[in-house]
Amino acid sequence: RKEVEQDPGPFNVPEGATVAFNCTYSNSASQSFFWYRQDCRKEPKLLMSVYSSGNEDGRFTAQLNRASQYISLLIRDSKLSDSATYLCAVRGGYQKVTFGTGTKLQVIP
Amino acid sequence: DVKVTQSSRYLVKRTGEKVFLECVQDMDHENMFWYRQDPGLGLRLIYFSYDVKMKEKGDIPEGYSVSREKKERFSLILESASTNQTSMYLCASSLSDSLYNEQFFGPGTRLTVL
């Protein structure tokens, strides 16, 4: 089983739609969790960290379910500019972060 | 703004050549990382360093070595390049004082080994 798994997509959604991605992780001792965004031919950039209580940043909501070992990202009112690949990342021990393979989102006019 | 720079955006080398990829960060970060990114395989950690002259193997260190002589610079070395090392190489850096420290990435080096 991979350490961090994501559905690669693509998710094709119309503008204004709500879309959700999940990411599962195998190490129950994982300490912290993140969502990164990567635009085509660009480097990944942090979208948001994922806290135990869940957190929201505008149209984006991230949640953590430690019992089932997954994190989720919800995007409301999708914009064309949200089209990108979304990478989940999990920190195990000692600063090492493992990334998922990414989920590609295409928002359609 | 944090800036992570990589020495080349594109590089073409021949099989058997020794290849150096350089990464420099300007924010006094303790941690530095080298990843490669391949379609369908995502970002895979090659090596990381948490201090000058310190290094730790990541998930795929075979065929690579690293050097960190100064805090701001982390070099990835391919001792004898092979075609299966054709990939996008991304360097990143982060602070080490929190579990939630963000990794900042450089723009990447697309390496082709012929």
Side-chain angles (χ1 to χ4, degrees), chain B residues 51-93:
Chain B
D51 201 353
V52 175
K53 296 192 186 295
M54 305 305 288
K55 61 185 179 185
E56 292 286 337
K57 291 180 180 179
D59 298 317
I60 51 163
E62 297 79 18
Y64 303 94
S65 61
V66 290
S67 172
R68 194 163 179 205
E69 295 297 317
K70 294 185 177 181
K71 191 175 186 180
E72 68 270 19
R73 188 180 297 269
F74 192 35
S75 303
L76 180 70
I77 303 149
L78 287 66
E79 294 290 340
S80 177
S82 62
T83 54
N84 63 12
Q85 293 178 310
T86 292
S87 186
M88 171 66 82
Y89 289 87
L90 287 156
C91 174
S93 71

Side-chain angles (χ1 to χ4, degrees), chain A residues 74-89:
Chain A
L74 182 79
I75 306 175
R76 289 181 298 278
D77 188 23
S78 299
K79 312 288 185 193
L80 294 176
S81 57
D82 294 333
S83 297
T85 296
Y86 291 84
L87 307 171
C88 69

Side-chain angles (χ1 to χ4, degrees), chain A residues 21-73:
Chain A
F21 310 133
N22 282 344
C23 167
T24 59
Y25 61 94
S26 61
N27 183 358
S28 59
S30 296
Q31 298 175 323
S32 50
F33 308 88
F34 310 85
W35 284 102
Y36 281 76
R37 171 191 168 130
Q38 186 173 24
D39 294 304
C40 189
R41 296 191 183 88
K42 297 281 193 178
E43 71 272 22
K45 292 185 178 178
L46 182 69
L47 177 67
M48 56 199 303
S49 302
V50 186
Y51 302 115
S52 296
S53 54
N55 46 300
E56 192 173 304
D57 182 3
R59 297 181 293 107
F60 298 84
T61 300
Q63 293 201 311
L64 167 63
N65 185 317
R66 280 197 182 271
S68 300
Q69 295 183 205
Y70 73 87
I71 62 172
S72 63
L73 178 68

Side-chain angles (χ1 to χ4, degrees), chain B residues 5-8 10-11 13 18-24 34-35 46 64-67 73-78 85 87-91 108-111:
Chain B
T5 56
Q6 296 183 227
S7 48
S8 307
Y10 299 94
L11 208 53
K13 294 292 181 181
K18 190 168 186 176
V19 182
F20 293 88
L21 302 182
E22 303 284 338
C23 175
V24 178
W34 273 107
Y35 295 89
I46 304 171
Y64 303 94
S65 61
V66 290
S67 172
R73 188 180 297 269
F74 192 35
S75 303
L76 180 70
I77 303 149
L78 287 66
Q85 293 178 310
S87 186
M88 171 66 82
Y89 289 87
L90 287 156
C91 174
T109 296
R110 184 163 293 281
L111 172 67

